[in-house]
Amino acid sequence: MIISIASQKGGTGKTTTSISLATALAQRGKKVLLIDIDSQANSSKVLLKDYQDITSAKSICATILDKKPLAIRSSSIENLDVVPSHILLSNTDIELTTAMDHREARLKNELDKVKSNYDFIFIDCPPALSWLTLNAFTASDRLVVVTSPGYFELDSINQITKTMQQVQENFNPDFELLGLLFTMSDPTINSKTSIRLLRQTYGEAVFDTIIPRNTDLRDAHMSQQDIHTYAPKSAGSNAYIKLIKEVFSI
């Protein structure tokens, strides 16, 4: 299963979710690939100790910009491989706007060659609806939309779901929503109101599991570790373990 993890708005926990799901499944013996297609490269920086030495030619840039094979690297976690991102990926929209080939399918074309090697593939999407996002959606089977408390966070879901429908109609008819994940939950009125509105609007599409606001999640990334390695008994780790049991029955 190839799953895009997306959010139109930054700071919702999208990358944390990508890392936490990928590492949790890898630690349970599943062969996992995480593709970092966000030019901020935060997933890459956490999971690859030598990230600073990785050139654009050894990153997802080679596939998206030059149509080269995926630059797959072993991570610090057993069973987890990573295709790193690079800051030059931010030039993608400029270059692909004038491309004449099937520019939305560059990732899919190369991913199709290696996907049989993995049980799960996660794509950490950029916090914007761009050619990178279209490449991720075109290559994916399912979509997880990550949102957090707040009006603008909830409002951004509408545009993502519209983009998903456009991809279904034009590029990938089998692409479907896996679910909506509410993150950074806390006891505030804002958080309680946001989750209530989310469930009222999207019903069963919202996962039962809610990810709490948890400082261990932030501190883990500062230490270049996933939450399950850094604080395996933390509320953040427990929540993501609960999520993989809910979604993947693992």
Side-chain angles (χ1 to χ4, degrees):
M1 184 183 293
I2 305 172
I3 304 168
S4 280
I5 310 291
S7 172
Q8 187 184 354
K9 192 175 186 305
T12 62
K14 170 188 60 67
T15 292
T16 296
T17 296
S18 300
I19 294 171
S20 300
L21 290 178
T23 54
L25 289 165
Q27 289 169 356
R28 280 153 182 76
K30 301 299 180 181
K31 188 65 177 173
V32 183
L33 175 65
L34 193 157
I35 300 174
D36 188 354
I37 201 169
D38 183 348
S39 62
Q40 296 179 73
N42 290 331
S43 289
S44 307
K45 293 171 184 175
V46 170
L47 295 171
L48 298 174
K49 304 302 183 184
D50 64 342
Y51 175 74
Q52 298 303 325
D53 299 324
I54 296 174
T55 63
S56 62
K58 298 296 184 180
S59 75
I60 191 64
C61 287
T63 298
I64 300 298
L65 298 178
D66 300 320
K67 296 183 277 189
K68 298 290 181 64
L70 288 168
I72 299 173
R73 305 175 70 90
S74 297
S75 77
S76 55
I77 305 295
E78 186 177 1
N79 297 318
L80 176 60
D81 292 339
V82 176
V83 177
S85 186
H86 193 277
I87 186 61
L88 291 182
L89 200 62
S90 58
N91 296 330
T92 301
D93 270 8
I94 297 174
E95 298 204 22
L96 290 191
T97 296
T98 57
M100 301 302 291
D101 65 327
H102 293 289
R103 49 194 169 180
E104 79 288 340
R106 292 189 179 185
L107 175 58
K108 174 180 170 54
N109 291 340
E110 296 304 322
L111 187 53
D112 281 348
K113 300 174 184 178
V114 302
K115 65 182 182 181
S116 62
N117 298 330
Y118 298 95
D119 298 305
F120 294 95
I121 298 171
F122 293 96
I123 306 176
D124 184 7
C125 298
L129 300 177
S130 62
W131 280 110
L132 291 173
T133 305
L134 287 177
N135 264 266
F137 287 8
T138 300
S140 294
D141 303 309
R142 299 291 183 268
L143 170 65
V144 170
V145 178
V146 181
T147 189
S148 58
Y151 172 79
F152 295 112
E153 287 79 357
L154 297 183
D155 186 58
S156 68
I157 296 173
N158 290 326
Q159 189 56 53
I160 288 185
T161 53
K162 288 179 182 177
T163 301
M164 181 187 73
Q165 292 167 358
Q166 292 170 354
V167 169
Q168 287 172 325
E169 293 171 3
N170 296 294
F171 308 126
N172 184 2
D174 297 324
F175 186 46
E176 296 179 0
L177 179 68
L178 184 59
L180 304 173
L181 178 65
F182 190 76
T183 65
M184 301 185 182
S185 177
D186 56 32
T188 63
I189 293 176
N190 179 38
S191 184
K192 293 176 180 177
T193 301
S194 295
I195 188 60
R196 177 174 54 80
L197 291 174
L198 189 67
R199 294 199 187 282
Q200 285 178 351
T201 305
Y202 296 99
E204 294 183 356
V206 183
F207 294 130
D208 292 335
T209 303
I210 294 176
I211 309 301
R213 189 178 297 277
N214 181 235
T215 57
D216 285 322
L217 289 166
R218 179 197 61 205
D219 294 343
H221 296 170
M222 288 291 292
S223 301
Q224 275 193 290
Q225 291 181 292
D226 66 279
I227 186 61
H228 312 299
T229 301
Y230 179 80
K233 296 183 179 179
S234 65
S237 177
N238 289 337
Y240 279 110
I241 296 301
K242 181 180 178 183
L243 182 62
I244 67 168
K245 291 178 180 178
E246 176 186 349
V247 179
F248 307 114
S249 301
I250 296 174

